């Protein structure tokens, strides 16, 4: 049995290796694969004529949220950067993602991007084995000399949508639906609650965890439970399960908030806003630095300060709700919520207040106080 | 904790209308998956392909509804897909003697990959497919029943599949115990050799049972994609095919048992969500309960069977 497993894995690795070695031919770049001198330290200047090869190793796309955002970053790089060629490898199975990452490193890729806090261990392990390849990891830190962690201040972003929820609720109760009860999602939840309380300490928050990322049926039922308890706005940070929350808001004629990507179009008029987490920007930036020869090891932090998280209206990204939502709420959004959130963002940027981080990675000495907005 | 507090908690978290509605909605796909497992297990077949059959059902329901702009066409397409997949499963495992577990795993993996591929190939979408053209199965208010206070709220206002499921539970019971075909099916499951000597066509009964299981499972898929959400997402079966097997065991292989066990699974989810906010007890403890109950039921069931067998042996020895 064991022997057969090993055999199967070997064959799989060979097939992936074969595919990997064939694929780059598809690009129009005439330069043959440069015979690279042995070492490629991360900070050397860009070689003229070199084509940088980038692979994104990711779970199955199509969540219209977090994962798709990463893939979008790759798409931008392919379009806008002339000396970069990209490849996306989707695999639902984490074991196969590891095989794929290894195969890409073997195939001489310059940058391999992996996704998710759960990938931290194996990414740093593989990075140690392939010191000539640079690795980037979305959502967790990487502490290897050839690794870059792309991390986000989700608590800051969730704070801004929390403010919007508190200002727009008519029942005095808002909801939060998370995918799984893990530290990263607690960061979303606690940031959201702080935002709600900052805008209006009397607004109550009910929270729930679906227990799965890919079960919209349960997501919808959980949302219906929260609506029944009196919440009228629910912030969904639950991957594909979140689709169920958005569907529930459309069915009930109530409201929801999306996450990571712009999700307003999914149920226009019911999805008030999305908490943007610009994984696309971070991925594109990393590739751009690579192509300019300036990609360094260490972690890159994305937050309000570099316009990478927060209420979508901060960045004029989606405005479907203003046209399709109830007129009074749309007007309140334009006249009160957006200015208030912008003011709060200014205070956070200026260091006058901060949002407490559940994971305590970012220190916070003067947290935003409940009622601090002073309405 | 004194009794009044406990009663208050029970009323707030367990026996309120919204909770019971949620329970019935969530248990519907599980009941159908359970019936899928039941009909094959009563014919003496271990069918683990329910998960894949649900996925196909969910996909073809959305596809049928999208292309015909009619939900009932979606239901028909899904049931047809269930019968076809069930037929293929039966063909390979019963006729061509492929190992039934391996074959079940193969169907599940194939269904997973095929639905992902089909979504991309047919709808040019990855991961999730929703479109205004997809007609869902809208909630139906039952006449007369809907006017009964409280009970009306709990029993009325669901999509077609929910009512169909309740009817199927009754019909399956009638079929098993009140029809010659049902008798044959049970005979085949309990003692195939004896059934064969009585002139029952064992392979044909088993073939039919597997095809029927496919139809049950596909209805579970229809419920997920058209009855509840009006969209298809990859892997939306989310393990319900396997939970169906647990429910079948827990329910003792009886349709009504399957129904009650499924409502327990549904209830635990809805209670769990309500308790999450309150922090009365850890949520994961509650989510664990139906599985623990299944294990206990399985253990008790096996022990009782063993004791009966031993008693029978002892009786035989005495008679000799």
């Amino acid at each position: 049995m064991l022997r057969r497993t090993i055999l199967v894995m070997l064959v799989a690795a060979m097939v992936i290796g074969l595919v990997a070695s064939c694929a780059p031919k598809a690009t129009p770049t005439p330069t043959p694969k440069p015979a690279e001198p042995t070492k490629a330290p991360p900070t050397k200047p860009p070689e003229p004529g070199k084509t940088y090869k980038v692979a994104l190793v990711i779970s199955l796309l199509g969540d219209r949220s977090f994962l798709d955002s990463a893939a979008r970053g790759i798409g931008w790089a392919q379009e806008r950067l002339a000396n970069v060629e990209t490849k996306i490898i989707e695999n639902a199975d984490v074991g196969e993602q590891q095989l794929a990452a290894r195969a890409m490193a073997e195939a001489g890729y310059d940058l391999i991007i992996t996704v998710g806090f759960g990938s931290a261990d194996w990414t740093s392990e593989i990075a140690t084995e392939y010191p000539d390849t640079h690795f980037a990891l979305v959502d967790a830190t990487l502490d290897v000399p050839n690794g870059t962690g792309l991390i986000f201040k989700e608590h800051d972003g969730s704070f801004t949508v929390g403010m919007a929820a508190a200002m727009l609720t008519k029942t005095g109760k808002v909801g939060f639906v998370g995918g799984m009860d893990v530290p990263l999602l607690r960061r979303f939840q606690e940031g959201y609650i702080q935002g709600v309380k900052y805008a209006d300490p009397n607004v109550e928050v009910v929270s729930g965890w679906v227990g799965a990322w890919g079960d919209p049926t349960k997501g919808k039922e959980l949302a219906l439970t929260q609506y029944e308890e009196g919440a009228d706005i629910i912030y969904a940070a639950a991957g594909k399960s979140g689709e169920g929350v958005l569907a529930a808001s459309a069915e009930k004629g109530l409201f929801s908030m999306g996450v990571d990507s712009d999700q307003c179009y999914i149920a226009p008029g019911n999805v008030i806003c999305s908490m943007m987490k610009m994984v696309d920007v971070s991925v594109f930036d990393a590739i751009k630095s690579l192509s300019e020869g300036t990609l360094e090891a260490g972690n890159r932090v994305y937050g309000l300060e570099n316009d990478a998280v927060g209420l979508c209206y901060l960045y004029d990204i989606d405005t479907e709700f203003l046209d399709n939502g109830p007129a009074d709420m749309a007007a309140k959004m334009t006249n009160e919520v957006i200015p208030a959130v912008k003011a709060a963002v200014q205070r956070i940027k200026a260091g006058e207040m901060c949002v407490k981080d559940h994971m305590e990675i970012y220190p916070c000495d003067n947290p935003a106080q409940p009622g601090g907005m002073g309405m | 904790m004194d009794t009044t507090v406990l009663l208050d908690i029970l009323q707030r978290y367990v026996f309120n209308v919204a909770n019971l509605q949620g329970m019935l909605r969530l248990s519907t796909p599980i009941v159908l998956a359970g019936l899928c497992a039941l009909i094959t297990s009563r014919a003496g077949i271990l069918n683990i392909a329910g998960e894949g059959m649900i996925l196909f059902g969910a996909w073809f329901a959305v596809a049928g509804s999208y292309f015909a702009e009619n939900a009932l066409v979606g239901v028909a397409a899904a049931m047809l897909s269930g019968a076809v997949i069930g037929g293929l499963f039966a063909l390979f495992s019963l006729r061509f003697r492929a190992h039934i577990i391996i074959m079940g795993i193969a169907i599940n993996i194939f269904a997973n990959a095929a639905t992902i591929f089909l979504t991309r190939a047919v709808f040019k979408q990855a991961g999730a497919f929703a479109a205004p053209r997809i007609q869902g199965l809208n909630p139906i208010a039952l006449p007369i029943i809907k006017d009964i206070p409280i009970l009306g709220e709990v029993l009325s206002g669901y999509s077609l599949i929910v009512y169909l499921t309740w009817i199927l539970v009754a019909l399956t019971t009638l079929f098993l115990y009140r029809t010659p075909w049902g008798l044959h099916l049970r005979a085949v499951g309990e003692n195939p050799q004896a059934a064969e000597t009585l002139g029952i066509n064992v392979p044909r009964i088993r073939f039919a049972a597997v095809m029927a299981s496919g139809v049950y499972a596909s209805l579970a898929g229809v419920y997920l994609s058209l009855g509840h959400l009006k969209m298809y997402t990859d892997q939306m079966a989310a393990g319900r095919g396997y939970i169906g097997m647990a429910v079948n065991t827990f329910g003792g292989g009886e349709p009504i048992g399957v129904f009650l066990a499924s409502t327990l699974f549904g209830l635990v989810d809805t209670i769990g969500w309500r308790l999450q906010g309150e922090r009365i007890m850890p949520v994961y403890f509650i989510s664990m309960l139906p599985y623990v109950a299944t294990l206990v039921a399985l253990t008790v069931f096996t022990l009782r069977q063993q004791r009966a067998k031993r008693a029978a042996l002892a009786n035989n020895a005495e008679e000799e």
Side-chain angles (χ1 to χ4, degrees), chain B residues 23-82:
Chain B
M23 170 189 88
L24 288 173
R25 280 193 301 257
L26 276 172
S27 64
T28 294
I30 302 177
V31 176
L32 289 165
L35 290 177
C36 157
L38 180 144
I39 201 79
T40 38
S41 75
R42 290 306 285 265
I45 298 164
L46 186 58
N47 172 10
I48 63 163
E51 182 82 359
M53 293 168 167
I54 295 176
L55 270 180
F56 271 120
W59 194 88
F60 279 99
V62 160
S65 178
Y66 176 78
F67 287 116
E69 293 189 62
N70 183 335
L72 292 177
V73 175
V75 177
M79 289 173 74
L80 188 67
S81 82

Side-chain angles (χ1 to χ4, degrees), chain A residues 20-108:
Chain A
S21 55
C22 296
K25 280 178 197 148
T27 45
T29 344
T31 31
K33 198 179 155 201
E36 270 202 79
T38 45
K39 288 233 166 52
T43 48
K44 67 174 181 185
E47 298 164 32
K50 175 178 163 75
T51 302
Y52 289 91
K53 293 200 285 182
V54 180
L56 172 69
V57 178
I58 194 165
S59 181
L60 292 178
L61 295 175
D63 63 347
R64 306 204 270 187
S65 180
F66 175 63
L67 303 175
D68 285 0
S69 184
R72 200 156 48 234
I74 291 285
W76 292 349
Q78 181 74 54
E79 270 172 39
R80 300 178 199 171
L81 303 173
N83 58 342
V84 166
E85 75 178 48
T86 61
K87 180 192 196 73
I88 299 178
I89 301 178
E90 289 174 64
N91 237 318
D93 183 61
V94 178
E96 289 188 34
Q97 286 179 29
Q98 297 179 26
L99 280 179
R102 261 175 222 281
M104 292 299 100
E106 288 286 352

Side-chain angles (χ1 to χ4, degrees), chain B residues 41-42 59 76 95 102 122 135 144 163 197 202 226 246 252 302:
Chain B
S41 75
R42 290 306 285 265
W59 194 88
R95 189 70 47 84
I102 307 274
V122 178
Q135 302 296 312
I144 307 170
Y163 304 124
T197 53
V202 175
L226 289 186
T302 316

Side-chain angles (χ1 to χ4, degrees), chain A residues 326-371:
Chain A
D328 58 329
M329 287 175 82
K332 193 166 184 188
M333 186 60 138
T334 317
N335 301 330
E336 295 175 38
V337 177
I338 296 175
V341 170
K342 281 188 173 157
V345 169
Q346 281 311 319
R347 292 189 65 187
I348 293 174
K349 279 183 182 167
E352 289 168 33
M353 65 176 186
C354 53
V355 183
K356 274 188 282 184
D357 166 24
H358 174 80
M359 295 164 85
E360 294 183 347
I361 290 173
Y362 311 102
C364 178
D365 300 324
N366 48 345
Q369 295 303 315

Side-chain angles (χ1 to χ4, degrees), chain A residues 60-64 68 90 92 179-182 186 189 206-211 214-222 224-225 228-229 240 243-244 247 251, chain B residues 13 16 18-19 21-23 25-26 29 116 120 125-130 223-224 228-229 231 233-238 240 269-270 273-274 276-277 279 284:
Chain A
L60 292 178
L61 295 175
D63 63 347
R64 306 204 270 187
D68 285 0
E90 289 174 64
M180 282 187 184
D181 191 355
V182 292
R186 285 270 169 189
Q189 181 211 15
V206 287
S207 301
W209 308 95
V210 183
D215 197 341
T217 309
K218 280 194 177 176
K220 183 177 176 188
E221 280 299 332
L222 176 49
L224 290 176
T225 306
E228 195 273 329
E229 286 179 336
K240 272 186 212 164
E243 295 259 6
E251 182 179 302
Chain B
Y13 298 112
N16 73 47
N19 241 13
Q21 287 173 337
M23 170 189 88
R25 280 193 301 257
L26 276 172
I116 290 173
R120 293 186 186 202
Q125 298 273 332
F129 177 63
Y223 183 72
L224 294 179
H228 197 262
L229 279 172
M231 69 184 297
T233 65
D234 286 348
Q235 298 165 331
M236 74 188 306
R240 288 184 177 82
D269 270 335
T270 51
W273 290 330
R274 270 173 207 272
Q276 282 182 348
R279 305 243 157 262
Y284 293 107

Side-chain angles (χ1 to χ4, degrees), chain A residues 102-113:
Chain A
R102 261 175 222 281
M104 292 299 100
E106 288 286 352
Y109 269 66
D110 300 286
L111 173 64
I112 294 168
I113 304 172

Side-chain angles (χ1 to χ4, degrees), chain A residues 78-288:
Chain A
Q78 181 74 54
E79 270 172 39
R80 300 178 199 171
L81 303 173
N83 58 342
V84 166
E85 75 178 48
T86 61
K87 180 192 196 73
I88 299 178
I89 301 178
E90 289 174 64
N91 237 318
D93 183 61
V94 178
E96 289 188 34
Q97 286 179 29
Q98 297 179 26
L99 280 179
R102 261 175 222 281
M104 292 299 100
E106 288 286 352
Y109 269 66
D110 300 286
L111 173 64
I112 294 168
I113 304 172
T114 59
V115 177
F117 56 89
S119 307
D121 284 344
W122 61 262
T123 303
S124 66
E125 196 184 303
I126 297 175
T128 319
E129 287 172 40
Y130 296 94
D132 296 341
T133 305
H134 202 94
F135 286 79
L137 170 60
V138 178
D139 254 10
T141 55
L142 259 190
D143 296 317
V144 286
N146 55 334
T148 306
L150 307 172
I151 48 179
F152 291 82
K153 289 183 167 175
E154 293 93 350
H155 47 297
D156 282 2
S158 299
F159 182 90
T160 60
V161 293
M163 284 180 67
M167 294 175 76
L168 291 172
T169 177
K170 288 170 184 159
T171 58
K173 207 173 198 181
V174 296
F176 171 84
V177 170
M180 282 187 184
D181 191 355
V182 292
L184 187 76
L185 264 288
R186 285 270 169 189
R187 182 190 265 175
F188 281 85
Q189 181 211 15
E190 290 178 7
Y192 176 69
I193 294 175
Q194 288 174 70
V196 170
K197 299 290 180 193
Y198 173 77
D200 186 349
N202 299 318
V203 172
E204 210 184 314
V205 184
V206 287
S207 301
W209 308 95
V210 183
W213 300 111
D215 197 341
T217 309
K218 280 194 177 176
K220 183 177 176 188
E221 280 299 332
L222 176 49
L224 290 176
T225 306
Q226 294 191 348
Y227 285 134
E228 195 273 329
E229 286 179 336
D232 61 346
I233 300 175
I234 299 177
Y235 172 35
K240 272 186 212 164
S241 303
E243 295 259 6
V245 178
L246 308 188
S249 70
E251 182 179 302
K252 285 270 160 187
L254 290 168
F255 306 99
S256 54
M257 295 175 161
V259 79
D260 294 351
S261 289
D262 164 16
Q263 296 191 311
C264 287
Y265 70 94
I266 294 176
N270 296 103
V271 182
I272 295 175
C273 60
S274 301
M275 197 293 272
M276 300 302 294
K277 173 174 165 185
M278 300 191 190
V279 179
D280 43 12
V281 172
S282 74
V283 166
F284 178 74
D285 282 355
I287 300 173
K288 191 157 180 275

